[in-house]
Each structure stands twice: as C-alpha cells, then as structure tokens.
Amino acid sequence: MTNQLNQTEAYSKIDISTILPPSTIGILGGGQLGRMMALKARELGYRIITLDPTEDCPCSHVADAQILAEYNDLEGAKQLAQQVDVITYEFENIGANIAAHLEAESFLPQGYDLLYKTQNRLREKRAIEEAGGKVAPYLPILSPDDLVQGVKQFGYPAVLKTTEGGYDGKGQLVLRQEEDLKEGQALVQSGNTEWILEKWVPFAKEISVIVARNAGGEVKAFPVSENIHQDNILHLSIVPARIDLDVEQKANQLAIQLAQSFHLVGLLAIEMFLLEDGQIYVNEMAPRPHNSGHYTQQGCRTSQFEQHIRAVCNLPLGDVELLQPTVMVNILGQHLEPVLQQMSQLDPTCKVHLYGKKEAQKNRKMGHLNVMAESVEEALKKIDALHIWNMEDTKS
Ligand SMILES: Nc1ncnc2c1ncn2[C@@H]1O[C@H](COP(=O)(O)OP(=O)(O)O)[C@@H](O)[C@H]1O
Ligand SMILES: [Mg+2]
C-alpha cells in the first residue's frame, strides 16, 4: 500500500494536471455510465472508487471499492475526496456544496461551472446562446398567467418543461391545444419547481455530437449520431447519421465551438434538432458520456468512455475515426428476456452490453446492442430480424 501511494505521488508530480495510472479515479454515481467509464479506466491501469447510495449498483461490480452514500451526503463526498487522486461524475444533479468541497479538497478537472449551467434548462439555453448556438424560442414560466402569454406568443404545440431534474421526457408536458392549458397551469401552480416553455420545433431529425476536450486544450468531436426516440426514450443511434456531409460538418463545428467557449474538460454530449432547411438548434447538453455515444464502443477507434477518462486525466485524446457503420439499440426492461433468449444465435457483428442490473422493469435501461454492417440500412435490417423491437420508425 505504501509503495502504491509513493508511486502515485511520484507520477502525479510529472505534470500537475496529468493523472497517470495507477492513480485512483473517483466516480460520483455508480450507474451504467460509471460502469462503462470504470471498465475503460481499468484497461488503462487506473483504480476506481465509486460513490453511490445503492449496494450492487452497476459500477460496483467493476470498481475497486464503493462508498455507500447519497450523492448529496457531504460526509460521503469527503471520504471520496480523501481516497482518490481525481474525481469525475456520471450525472448532473450534484449540489453546489458538494462540488465546492470536491474542488477544494480533491481534484475535479471538469470544474463546476459547466455542470451548474447544464443543471438548469434556462441557464443552459442562455449559455448556448452566449456561445453562439441557436436554441428553440423559450420563456421562463413563473405563473399560470405566464403560460397563457407564452402559448399566445408561440402557438400550439408548445412544450412545458421543468427547468431542473428532467430526463427521458419526464417533467414535460406537450400543449397541443387550448384544452391542455389547464393541465399546464395546474403544474405551474403546484409551485414545486420552476418551468420553461419552448416553442415546438418541427425538426427533420434529432442528432447529437459528443465532443471531448482536455485541460491542455486538445479538442475532438465524434461522428454525428442520428437518434430515434420512442416514448421520449432513446431507441436507436444510427451512425453515420443519414444527413448531408455539410450538415455533419456544421454539427461537428458547432460542438467544437461550444466546447471551446465553455473551456470544457471531459466530454460534452450535445443533443440537436436538425430542421428541414439545414438549420441546427441545440436542444440540451450533458457534460458526461451519453447514451447516444454508446455506438463508439464498437464504431470508433476510441470509445466515448475511454475519451472521457483521457480528457479528465489530461492524456492525449484518442482517434475518433468511425471504423464502420454502427447502429446502437437500447435494451430496456421489456427487451432483456428476448435478447437473452437469442444471445447464443446472435450474429457476431452484434455486440451485447449489459449493465448488470437485477430488476428488469419496463423502460429501465438494462443494456444495449451495437450492430455493425456495411451500411446502416443493413444494420437496421439485422436488428429488425430479431423481432424484439418495433422498428416502424426507422425510415430516413
Ligand atoms: N421544443 C421541442 N420541439 C419538438 N420536440 C421537442 C422539443 N423539446 C423536446 N422535444 C422532444 O422531446 C424529447 C425529450 O426532450 P428533452 O428536452 O431532450 O428532454 P429529456 O431531458 O427528457 O431528454 C426530445 O428528444 C424531442 O424528441
Ligand atoms: Mg434529451
């Protein structure tokens, strides 16, 4: 143990911001993103301690140790800070007090600024606009009357969203007609949270870009993913996206522009709406690996998880070249059993990733499948032939 500490100390003196193996990385959050980060970090020779309130969480199976604590538990955060050389996170809902402590007592190269911005849709949209990105027209909604004024301005449909804590379409209401106003007003009236109203964007496609930047300023964007949602949950990521080359380049450039403007360290996943006329609106951002980047595990020379670890540890970024067309399909609770039944007959170009979660509840993300082929059309056909998912909505 003494040897190990000495070695870590010796390595960390090489460059103050470069964290070399076998240093210990602390991961706040122990879900599937933490697990896949930890797997890549281990390949590189790092040690991992995860902090998560759930025993047997997905990351616990591959981490060296787990601190069992709530994410907002300062004592837990203190323990983590003491035991690791660098800290990263796999989710956004970290309180300011915890982040401040981690920054003071440990090394949080990603900082708190961008995390703070992305925790709240209003702050996020303002930050995107300041960085030169476009967003759908929006208004803060503080009262039922604001909502009436808002839909007058935007027309129907419009989307009412909580400013904080929403995911997979939770905390959202689409107002399609005047009759929906009452429901929206009741939500706003309940006073538990703040709201924002967005004008409906009649997008042609949803796409996303994952961009990485290290403290040294090196920046690389992964190929654009075309994303298809079902019930507001990501269903498919299709790469290369079925878009024109100039749109691909524009989306990549926008991602790099945002990364540089935010002085990003780590990964930033940027969800975008592509309009019929080629305009791109930024929908939302997450400063971490993202479900729509899972395709990189097989599709690219470097996966988003390795890139994240490299960026946070200030190592040179890996090559982001797309090696072959790849489609990622999510395995939700209801898909797990059929996937397991077919596992022994799966085509070798279908790579299964499961997160080790015991309870397969409906719509819970249990794993994903990365399917490679000569073209995305062929990959989609292979997924369709498994008869596990409803593939009606995959037409370009
Ligand atoms: N302004 C909008 N116009 C059209 N569709 C939208 C709009 N906002 C959200 N959506 C749809 O709802 C989905 C979920 O919304 P999003 O803001 O990404 O929230 P979440 O945090 O739940 O992912 C989006 O992927 C998109 O399909
Ligand atoms: Mg989203």
Side-chain angles (χ1 to χ4, degrees):
M1 191 69 198
T2 319
N3 255 348
Q4 232 163 39
L5 282 179
N6 286 344
Q7 204 178 9
T8 305
E9 274 163 14
Y11 279 132
S12 59
K13 286 206 176 91
I14 293 173
D15 175 335
I16 191 119
S17 65
T18 298
I19 305 290
L20 288 172
S23 301
T24 303
I25 301 175
I27 305 179
L28 261 172
Q32 64 265 22
L33 300 177
R35 175 188 177 98
M36 291 184 276
M37 267 183 213
L39 284 167
K40 277 294 158 191
R42 287 201 123 190
E43 275 183 23
L44 285 163
Y46 293 100
R47 298 168 60 81
I48 301 292
I49 301 179
T50 182
L51 181 150
D52 193 280
T54 311
E55 242 171 292
D56 199 39
C57 65
C59 190
S60 70
H61 309 152
V62 299
D64 294 270
Q66 176 179 0
I67 294 170
L68 257 184
E70 296 292 335
Y71 306 124
N72 58 3
D73 173 1
L74 194 58
E75 277 313 307
K78 277 184 184 166
Q79 268 188 49
L80 186 70
Q82 277 162 11
Q83 294 176 31
V84 303
D85 299 292
V86 61
I87 294 183
T88 184
Y89 50 82
E90 63 137 34
F91 66 107
E92 287 98 323
N93 299 322
I94 299 168
N97 62 330
I98 300 286
H101 180 82
L102 295 176
E103 279 201 290
E105 300 296 319
S106 184
F107 182 36
L108 186 68
Q110 290 163 278
Y112 184 56
D113 188 51
L114 184 55
L115 185 63
Y116 180 71
K117 283 177 177 141
T118 58
Q119 280 173 347
N120 178 294
R121 289 189 195 274
L122 266 176
R123 288 198 294 265
E124 179 174 66
K125 285 181 195 300
R126 287 176 186 142
I128 293 163
E129 289 176 308
E130 272 169 32
K134 279 192 211 136
V135 297
Y138 64 95
L139 284 170
I141 301 294
L142 302 173
S143 69
D145 201 40
D146 284 354
L147 189 62
V148 177
Q149 295 306 318
V151 291
K152 238 187 223 159
Q153 191 171 327
F154 296 155
Y156 294 98
V159 196
L160 183 66
K161 300 182 182 180
T162 56
T163 51
E164 295 188 8
Y167 68 98
D168 289 345
K170 293 186 173 66
Q172 291 191 22
L173 178 70
V174 180
L175 301 160
R176 297 186 189 282
Q177 57 210 354
E178 211 175 318
E179 287 82 85
D180 299 335
L181 249 185
K182 271 217 161 64
E183 193 181 341
Q185 285 182 304
L187 285 173
V188 174
Q189 187 83 58
S190 67
N192 303 329
T193 174
E194 290 178 358
W195 297 85
I196 181 171
L197 186 73
E198 283 178 31
K199 192 175 161 87
W200 187 257
V201 180
F203 55 77
K205 279 187 192 298
E206 290 194 78
I207 56 175
S208 61
V209 177
I210 301 195
V211 59
R213 185 177 171 278
N214 63 19
E218 191 187 9
V219 56
K220 285 187 180 174
F222 282 100
V224 177
S225 165
E226 173 185 343
N227 303 320
I228 294 181
H229 295 83
Q230 280 182 353
D231 299 330
N232 280 318
I233 303 171
L234 183 66
H235 169 43
L236 296 167
S237 293
I238 299 171
V239 189
R242 295 167 296 181
I243 56 178
D244 293 341
L245 188 63
D246 64 321
V247 174
E248 168 99 23
Q249 285 168 350
K250 214 165 69 176
N252 265 304
Q253 274 161 14
L254 173 60
I256 289 170
Q257 181 185 329
L258 293 178
Q260 286 171 333
S261 165
F262 299 142
H263 305 288
L264 173 72
V265 173
L267 290 194
L268 183 66
I270 307 164
E271 294 180 16
M272 306 172 186
F273 295 138
L274 171 62
L275 278 65
E276 223 38 92
D277 64 2
Q279 278 194 82
I280 294 174
Y281 282 178
V282 175
N283 173 29
E284 60 171 355
M285 310 185 294
R288 54 161 170 79
H290 192 258
N291 197 167
S292 70
H294 292 357
Y295 81 87
T296 58
Q297 289 171 311
Q298 266 71 46
C300 295
R301 202 178 299 283
T302 307
S303 82
Q304 63 164 346
F305 299 102
E306 177 178 346
Q307 199 74 309
H308 178 75
I309 296 296
R310 287 182 162 277
V312 166
C313 294
N314 200 25
L315 293 172
L317 298 180
D319 182 9
V320 291
E321 187 194 350
L322 184 70
L323 300 175
Q324 54 204 330
T326 305
V327 175
M328 189 261 359
V329 58
N330 265 335
I331 301 172
L332 303 180
Q334 60 272 33
H335 308 131
L336 182 62
E337 208 35 57
V339 167
L340 293 175
Q341 272 169 20
Q342 296 193 47
M343 197 126 161
S344 49
Q345 303 116 53
L346 277 183
D347 181 309
T349 55
C350 297
K351 294 284 187 194
V352 180
H353 298 258
L354 295 176
Y355 310 146
K357 297 179 187 175
K358 287 223 176 82
E359 280 171 43
Q361 290 141 2
K362 183 164 189 270
N363 285 349
R364 187 176 192 206
K365 290 176 181 168
M366 302 301 289
H368 62 275
L369 204 62
N370 281 336
V371 179
M372 293 143 284
E374 289 297 313
S375 67
V376 292
E377 285 71 27
E378 257 183 63
L380 287 167
K381 273 190 207 148
K382 284 193 209 179
I383 297 172
D384 201 16
L386 296 172
H387 299 293
I388 296 173
W389 294 271
N390 172 10
M391 300 287 283
E392 298 259 289
D393 49 5
T394 59
K395 306 287 172 294
S396 65

